[in-house]
Amino acid sequence: MSALSAVKRVARLVRKPPGYVIKRLAREGRMEADRYLAPLAARRMNGARLARLAGQPDIDHLWRHLAARPYPAVTHADQAAGFASLFPESVSRIEEAAQRALRHEVDLLGSGPVLLGERIDWLRDFKTGHDWPTGFCRAIDYVNKGRPSDVKMPWELSRLQWLLPAGQAYLLTGEERYAIAVRDVLEQWIAANPYAWSVNWSCTMEPALRILTWTWFFHVFARSQAWADEGFRDRFLTSLYLHGAFTLTHIERSSINGNHLTADAAGLVFAGLFFDGIGDARAWQEEGWRSLCREIELQVHSDGVDFEASSAYHRLVAELFVMPARYRLARRLDVDGAYRARLTAMARFACAYTRPDGSSPNWGDADDGRALPLGTQALSDHRYLAGLVGVTVDDADLSGLSGPPSDEVFWHCGRLPEPVADMAAQPGSQAFAEGGVYIIRDADNHLFIDCGPVGLAGLGGHGHNDALSFEAWLAGTPLIVDPGSFVYTASFEDRNAFRSTAFHNTPQIDGEEINRFYAPDNLWNLHEDARASCLTFETGSGSGRFVGRHAGYQRLASPVGVEREIAFDATTARLVVEDRLSGEGKHAVAIPLHFAPGVALTQERPGHWVAMAGDRRFSITFDADCAGEITCEPARVSPSYGVEHPAHRLVWRGDATLPMRLAVVVAPRLSMSSP
């Protein structure tokens, strides 16, 4: 840890309550002691000791003992027997992905296809060529401010989720070459990443997520010839056990916890149930489950919205909560009603925010994070959550909202949800008032409106400056979108730009942020200035009306109130967005609309524009009660981490004397000649 980062950590710590400070200092001491204890623990732990702790005569007996235990996903060929007939297209996708994995070809976080070579460099960001040194994990500076690198590259590579299709191909074909390839990759990883002694141990979420992948690999390949070598079995089980020990010691607990602690806790449940009865495993499982039961109530609003204010992280956190529950149920352990109810609410929110084509809005941050990705659906398709949770909690109505049959659900559950009477049923317009999300929708249109907290209980986290921003999927096509988040530490400038007010479909006053940044190098926190609130939400037959406001600009020397009304008429697909700014004096006002990539914009006459989205034409009309200029500008849209596409935005700008009003009307044109 650098001296500067240590000073910053201490400065944050002294602002906390005394009880928290004492516990945190004790935990910091235990983690720092691993600088000396981790090498000792790695030398002491081996397969023979694990076998003794389990009451088994040797590593092979221990291996068979562990392999006989149930696991909450498909890991046997007989379980996968019906897959090819149900999902013939998925079989070819899995085989293609498995072949790429066998030749060590990856496409991660916007890298494009990359051949890693026979010997994989696990400590390198292969997009920039930057290498991290070996050393005690807490002493490694992985942010690299001012240097072009992204630690998420070695982290994502080391999660080994890119290797999962090789396991699926093995189950579908029985070909031993897949078992050999996965074994060789694991051997390489273990040799290159000594316990607690590389950048791939620097964030506890990483070893925690590896536990999920490695336990699945174990149950898939446990009976293969390639995994029969006693030396490999010793190294694999020893490293996996040390992953559990590390996760408990270095658990990422704070006064406000988010998806990192959730991942740590999920990893502890998986490691604890996998090694149950061996050493400290039961304590891992109990601590992990206690944390999950506590955090699902703290992190997830009662309406099902994850408090990090991000659709991508909502999906990740839902997986991290449901998969340990499934493991417990597989081991005949209890999952109480309150936990099940919160899982169900999370899945129902995912159904509501899913657009008619199965895609999800670009709300908040997105880093492509998954828990144990086994499906072949598009990255932005979250519909499987309804089926996965529905099967887990035995809710047929929820399962019926999951859309087409999902191979993701099959790989986790070994079956598909039972058909319900109306499989075509879709959720209607809904308010998620606690989470601050309002959705107006029908079969062809979908509006997603953000009018909630900044995220992470007011700390910012993965939330953006998007109060009163919206996305509009109209007449069967994406039109007005959120630009996304692009990257994190790879570029401080891009990170701050994509989470800024200017990159969202909401008014900006005097060039100020809705919620103030703490500092340019603080990439994860925002002040909670906006305190957005909904005043009206009315819906019926796909139409709807929303009115909301925020206080983000009340802090200005000359305060400004922002109120937005969004009205949608389903019969005509006509959208009206009206902004009312209150206050006194003259202010620089900018109100942008960001359009989906591929949408072409042309001006017909002052205040009147046409948007071409595929074969759809939309008229866009601006009506302000003061003078302003509308410009069409280049923009950027990031559909996933590290990926950006060129796009355009329209921005109304003016030096307005308040109060002022601006209305924008968006409506489809029935034909090329329609006015």
Side-chain angles (χ1 to χ4, degrees):
M1 185 192 314
S2 69
L4 180 58
S5 63
V7 169
K8 289 183 176 179
R9 183 174 291 184
V10 171
R12 290 195 299 268
L13 195 59
V14 297
R15 295 194 292 267
K16 304 291 185 181
Y20 171 82
V21 171
I22 293 170
K23 290 180 181 179
R24 181 63 182 268
L25 288 174
R27 189 163 66 251
E28 290 283 335
R30 288 194 299 272
M31 291 189 290
E32 192 59 28
D34 252 6
R35 184 186 300 269
Y36 311 102
L37 298 179
L40 177 62
R43 287 195 297 270
R44 292 181 59 204
M45 185 55 66
N46 54 49
R49 186 178 180 202
L50 282 175
R52 287 195 302 272
L53 290 171
Q56 300 292 326
D58 54 41
I59 189 71
D60 289 334
H61 281 82
L62 172 60
W63 190 269
R64 290 192 292 272
H65 173 68
L66 295 173
R69 292 177 168 180
Y71 192 79
V74 170
T75 56
H76 292 61
D78 57 345
Q79 295 173 317
F83 182 80
S85 60
L86 288 170
F87 302 100
E89 293 183 0
S90 295
V91 171
S92 60
R93 293 193 194 105
I94 288 169
E95 289 175 347
E96 291 169 3
Q99 298 314 308
R100 291 193 294 271
L102 262 58
R103 60 179 180 263
H104 297 177
E105 179 183 320
V106 298
D107 185 351
L108 302 175
L109 306 178
S111 68
V114 174
L115 279 170
L116 301 172
E118 183 178 349
R119 302 297 300 178
I120 298 172
D121 188 341
W122 300 99
L123 310 182
R124 167 170 287 207
D125 170 5
F126 52 78
K127 288 177 72 174
T128 65
H130 178 85
D131 289 296
W132 278 268
T134 55
F136 181 52
C137 56
R138 285 171 57 83
I140 296 173
D141 176 14
Y142 57 77
V143 174
N144 284 347
K145 180 186 177 184
R147 287 172 284 172
S149 65
D150 191 342
V151 74
K152 286 186 66 63
M153 300 308 296
W155 286 354
E156 191 74 21
L157 182 67
S158 291
R159 289 183 185 183
L160 295 185
Q161 293 175 352
W162 55 273
L163 200 55
L164 292 172
Q168 294 171 302
Y170 176 78
L171 294 176
L172 294 173
T173 67
E175 295 181 17
E176 196 69 13
R177 61 193 178 111
Y178 296 113
I180 295 170
V182 174
R183 179 204 63 198
D184 290 349
V185 169
L186 287 165
E187 288 272 40
Q188 285 192 34
W189 193 93
I190 292 168
N193 294 273
Y195 176 56
W197 224 257
S198 81
V199 74
N200 290 312
W201 299 90
S202 292
C203 172
T204 311
M205 184 178 188
E206 299 309 312
L209 287 175
R210 286 197 295 271
I211 291 169
L212 275 62
T213 308
W214 286 33
T215 53
W216 186 80
F217 280 143
F218 170 85
H219 281 282
V220 168
F221 296 115
R223 296 166 181 81
S224 70
Q225 274 298 114
W227 286 45
D229 177 73
E230 184 176 322
F232 170 71
R233 290 180 170 186
D234 187 321
R235 290 185 291 276
F236 176 83
L237 288 180
T238 298
S239 183
L240 182 54
Y241 186 89
L242 289 171
H243 272 67
F246 181 93
T247 301
L248 183 64
T249 298
H250 295 265
I251 192 167
E252 298 164 280
R253 199 181 299 282
S254 186
S255 55
I256 303 293
N257 301 295
N259 67 88
H260 280 243
L261 177 63
T262 311
D264 299 349
L268 285 174
V269 171
F270 268 68
L273 292 175
F274 181 88
F275 286 110
D276 188 33
I278 302 173
D280 297 324
R282 188 155 297 173
W284 302 342
Q285 192 279 139
E286 291 172 351
E287 176 59 28
W289 188 244
R290 275 196 303 271
S291 294
L292 289 172
C293 290
R294 180 174 57 249
E295 293 301 323
I296 199 170
E297 298 290 332
L298 294 173
Q299 295 184 29
V300 183
H301 299 291
S302 64
D303 56 15
V305 182
D306 176 58
F307 81 149
E308 295 200 66
S310 157
S311 52
Y313 280 90
H314 179 90
R315 182 256 296 277
L316 171 63
V317 169
E319 291 181 343
L320 293 171
F321 280 125
V322 72
M323 290 180 189
R326 292 185 49 75
Y327 207 162
R328 281 180 60 87
L329 292 171
R331 297 298 302 273
R332 300 186 183 280
L333 297 173
D334 180 58
V335 176
D336 68 30
Y339 195 99
R340 292 168 182 254
R342 203 57 61 103
L343 278 178
T344 300
M346 294 191 80
R348 289 190 178 278
F349 175 57
C351 291
Y353 69 61
T354 297
R355 296 182 288 223
D357 67 341
S359 64
S360 300
N362 253 354
W363 181 43
D365 276 347
D367 74 344
D368 300 358
R370 300 287 308 280
L372 187 64
L374 297 173
T376 60
Q377 71 280 347
L379 181 64
S380 67
D381 187 347
H382 302 181
R383 288 175 294 182
Y384 67 89
L385 286 174
L388 181 58
V389 174
V391 171
T392 302
V393 304
D394 195 23
D395 185 331
D397 291 338
L398 178 59
S399 298
L401 296 174
S402 60
S406 165
D407 59 349
E408 184 85 55
V409 176
F410 182 93
W411 282 112
H412 283 277
C413 303
R415 64 182 179 89
L416 296 175
E418 293 294 328
V420 297
D422 185 9
M423 287 296 290
Q426 293 294 323
S429 300
Q430 295 179 66
F432 297 87
E434 282 191 64
V437 172
Y438 298 83
I439 294 169
I440 301 171
R441 63 176 299 163
D442 63 10
D444 295 315
N445 304 283
H446 190 282
L447 298 176
F448 181 97
I449 305 165
D450 181 352
C451 184
V454 68
L456 202 68
L459 297 181
H462 291 295
H464 287 187
N465 270 339
D466 51 9
L468 303 185
S469 186
F470 70 99
E471 286 196 306
W473 200 93
L474 299 179
T477 189
L479 187 66
I480 299 169
V481 300
D482 185 305
S485 59
F486 191 38
V487 294
Y488 294 164
T489 61
S491 168
F492 284 35
E493 293 76 15
D494 281 335
R495 165 65 179 157
N496 287 329
F498 273 84
R499 66 183 185 135
S500 71
T501 305
F503 271 57
H504 295 88
N505 302 309
T506 190
Q508 184 172 28
I509 311 300
D510 294 336
E512 295 284 338
E513 296 292 340
I514 292 174
N515 300 288
R516 289 164 293 159
F517 289 6
Y518 277 81
D521 62 350
N522 184 329
L523 306 183
W524 309 107
N525 297 117
L526 296 168
H527 291 276
E528 181 147 41
D529 297 316
R531 301 188 302 280
S533 60
C534 175
L535 305 178
T536 302
F537 187 66
E538 304 166 337
T539 63
S541 301
S543 298
R545 175 174 170 265
F546 161 88
V547 182
R549 66 185 175 196
H550 73 71
Y553 296 120
Q554 292 291 342
R555 71 178 192 275
L556 301 182
S558 176
V560 176
V562 178
E563 182 173 296
R564 167 167 278 185
E565 179 173 346
I566 297 176
F568 179 72
D569 182 353
T571 59
T572 60
R574 184 174 185 266
L575 171 66
V576 180
V577 181
E578 181 173 308
D579 291 315
R580 297 182 283 268
L581 307 182
S582 59
E584 298 179 349
K586 185 171 287 189
H587 294 267
V589 176
I591 303 177
L593 292 176
H594 293 83
F595 289 85
V599 174
L601 299 167
T602 56
Q603 185 177 17
E604 286 191 321
R605 58 186 185 276
H608 294 260
W609 291 74
V610 174
M612 286 287 298
D615 59 355
R616 301 276 188 175
R617 283 166 57 93
F618 298 85
S619 64
I620 305 167
T621 305
F622 293 79
D623 178 22
D625 61 5
C626 61
E629 181 183 11
I630 304 161
T631 57
C632 179
E633 303 172 353
R636 306 154 71 191
V637 171
S638 174
S640 62
Y641 191 91
V643 176
E644 64 171 346
H645 299 307
H648 290 89
R649 65 178 187 172
L650 292 177
V651 186
W652 185 97
R653 288 190 179 87
D655 290 325
T657 300
L658 302 189
M660 72 154 284
R661 165 194 163 278
L662 170 70
V664 180
V665 179
V666 182
R669 289 188 171 181
L670 298 179
S671 69
M672 298 293 284
S673 60
S674 299

